[in-house]
Amino acid sequence: MSGDEQQAFYDDAAALRSERLRDFHRQWVESCGGAPYPGLAAIDPVRFKPFLADLVLVDVRDPKEPVFRLVGSGFNDFFTRPFSGEKVRNAAFPERELILESYRQVALSGRPLLGWYRWHSEEGVTYHSEFVVLPFGDGKVERLLVMEDLDPARQGRTTQPG
């Protein structure tokens, strides 16, 4: 890695450094029941309870215009504003084009996306966060379960991934 990359993707969940993201991905895989992605009814909020504070539910029925449907309190608290109901395109963060493209890719392919990306805080600090974007829906991808490991940023760590 040269250090100039804005983001990178993993081929397998085993590459995730975040144990919490690996656990989250494992719960999603179990919800799939052998299908490429789980149906709407297969997503059991009780199963995902340990992750709810940092979970983001994105509506992608129109992949060109993803909408933050529900955003966990930990995510909202970290970024000091609510995002629920907001179009991703209108979100006030510089990396929104990267995020939009990632959401579109998962919505259209039906395949999960795992990796990390570099982002900048309002204070000008650069962070690297691992993330997972996981599709679900009935017959086609309708929503995404998104989680990123914000713990390094919460702790003020700016370490490079890898």
Side-chain angles (χ1 to χ4, degrees):
M1 179 167 61
S2 70
D4 294 335
E5 295 91 347
Q6 186 71 11
Q7 64 183 8
F9 303 110
Y10 304 142
D11 293 329
D12 187 273
L16 289 163
R17 290 173 47 184
S18 168
E19 183 177 345
R20 193 158 180 245
L21 290 181
R22 285 192 308 271
D23 289 345
F24 178 65
H25 180 266
R26 187 173 22 262
Q27 293 296 328
W28 176 83
V29 168
E30 290 173 9
S31 297
C32 289
Y37 52 84
L40 296 175
I43 300 299
D44 179 3
V46 174
R47 172 177 265 182
F48 290 95
K49 186 176 181 178
F51 312 106
L52 291 179
D54 290 325
L55 189 65
V56 177
L57 180 64
V58 180
D59 187 318
V60 290
R61 286 176 287 180
D62 177 359
K64 294 179 184 174
E65 200 64 74
V67 175
F68 291 116
R69 185 177 174 118
L70 294 170
V71 178
S73 60
F75 191 90
N76 284 333
D77 291 348
F78 182 81
F79 290 103
T80 66
R81 63 185 290 278
F83 288 92
S84 295
E86 186 172 344
K87 290 180 179 180
V88 175
R89 163 182 319 289
N90 297 334
F93 40 80
E95 299 78 17
R96 79 177 154 269
E97 289 303 319
L98 284 175
I99 293 166
L100 260 172
E101 185 53 36
S102 296
Y103 292 175
R104 286 182 190 132
Q105 179 181 342
V106 174
L108 295 172
S109 73
R111 295 177 35 205
L113 188 64
L114 310 109
W116 65 264
Y117 77 109
R118 181 174 50 198
W119 57 278
H120 307 282
S121 71
E122 290 180 0
E123 295 80 25
V125 178
T126 300
Y127 293 102
H128 294 82
S129 292
E130 284 191 308
F131 65 87
V132 295
V133 181
L134 308 172
F136 71 108
D138 292 331
K140 69 173 193 153
V141 177
E142 300 172 65
R143 298 188 185 127
L144 306 175
L145 291 171
V146 178
M147 191 169 146
E148 94 180 60
D149 185 357
L150 293 172
D151 287 344
R154 286 182 178 121
Q155 298 164 6
R157 290 185 284 141
T158 60
T159 57
Q160 294 270 5

